[in-house]
Amino acid sequence: MAILVTGGAGFIGSHTCVELLNAGEDIVVMDNFYNSNSRALDGIRKITGKDFKFYEDDMLDIAAVDQIFAENDIEQVIHFAGYKCVPESVQKPLMYYSNNLRGTFNILETMKKYGCTKFVFSSSATVYGIPATVPVKEDFPLSAINPYGSTKLIIENLCREMYAADNTWTMILLRYFNPVGAHESGLIGEDPNGIPNNLMPYLTQVAVGRLPYLNIFGNDYPTPDGTCVRDYIHVVDLAVGHVKALKKLEEKPEVRVYNLGTGHGYSVLDVVHAFEKACGHEVKYQIKPRRAGDIAMCYCDPTKAKEELGWEAQYGIEEMCQDSWRWQSQNPDGYATEEK
Ligand code: UDP
């Protein structure tokens, strides 16, 4: 019996593979390396001292997905695979809908064919659209404000409708807030394609000298220091959340939804200052106009995950910055860095 991890070489996927292997689980990993690197798999093996089966496949290839199920006794699926860049999704909506939805249909259809009914889905805080208040709770109204968010919301709704039609399914939807950090070994971490879109990888690339300065998008928001506030969460905490969700999958068929965040909000400037402390030098930044689509404040109420999954974030902003810096300073060019 194994757990299929789609997108297992990606940022959150690779850290989750480590926690699953450390918890003694048997995993089968699938990834097409679109936005990931085979060196993440080496990192997972090195950190855990364990091996696992890997398939370099695309979820759009249903015959390949079928073969994975035919060759392995897959009992649960954790589905990370998908495009994840919000601005790119605004530029290329069809590409996002096509890949994220068709890929997920292939995974779910194949699960159904093989009688595998336990599914954990990587959702996102973006499904709350522009929340009226913070902290955000799981029962807040949902809406999509960009094509990436639309794909998350459509898949969430599909899961609820599949369960309504056939209540043998167990679906757990995990809504991530802002994942940052890296494994403390410095062997795996975030390595986005091209110029980073998210704050932490941009910040680490400025600190390591790959980019000249950070652009801070707006300092006139209604927040304590005028910069946007987010709920940053250490990727290892997030990974542990998936191990807890798997235990929950075993209880009874239903659809469950959890926020995975710390419940604490930090402004962009808070993160910059915490990061400067971690890396030991100043990080240059410039204040720029607001970025389209950004909301002033977003942080969650993580109580439900604590009560029902027994999960709570362990790491604070200091560790998030230290671990992000360790990864970036040891691997200035990410996975493309030459091994010494
Ligand atoms: N941000 C920034 N400069 C950057 C990237 C992000 O000032 O180069 C800000 C962004 O405006 C937002 C926060 O950092 O307020 C988090 O942005 P990110 O893209 O990491 O995550 P989001 O919350 O948008 O999903």
Side-chain angles (χ1 to χ4, degrees), residues 178 197-199 202 214-217 228 230 232 268 291 294:
N178 288 60
N197 172 59
N198 297 112
L199 176 63
Y202 204 107
L214 172 73
N215 300 299
I216 295 186
F217 300 130
C228 293
R230 295 287 182 276
Y232 296 93
V268 177
R291 184 172 73 174
D294 276 343

Side-chain angles (χ1 to χ4, degrees), residues 29 48 51 119 121 127 142 156 207 242 271 281 330 338:
V29 176
T48 61
D51 203 4
F119 186 65
F121 177 59
V127 298
L142 304 179
E156 281 206 3
H242 291 75
V271 176
H281 61 86
Q330 289 181 9
E338 276 184 36

Side-chain angles (χ1 to χ4, degrees), residues 24-63:
E25 303 286 0
D26 185 14
I27 62 172
V28 172
V29 176
M30 161 185 174
D31 204 295
N32 66 353
F33 296 134
Y34 172 77
N35 190 16
S36 58
N37 194 292
S38 62
R39 283 182 63 185
L41 305 177
D42 303 335
I44 299 167
R45 292 189 177 103
K46 222 168 176 174
I47 292 166
T48 61
K50 292 182 181 171
D51 203 4
F52 52 87
K53 234 168 153 177
F54 174 71
Y55 290 84
E56 185 177 345
D57 279 326
D58 193 314
M59 62 181 173
L60 295 182
D61 180 354
I62 195 163

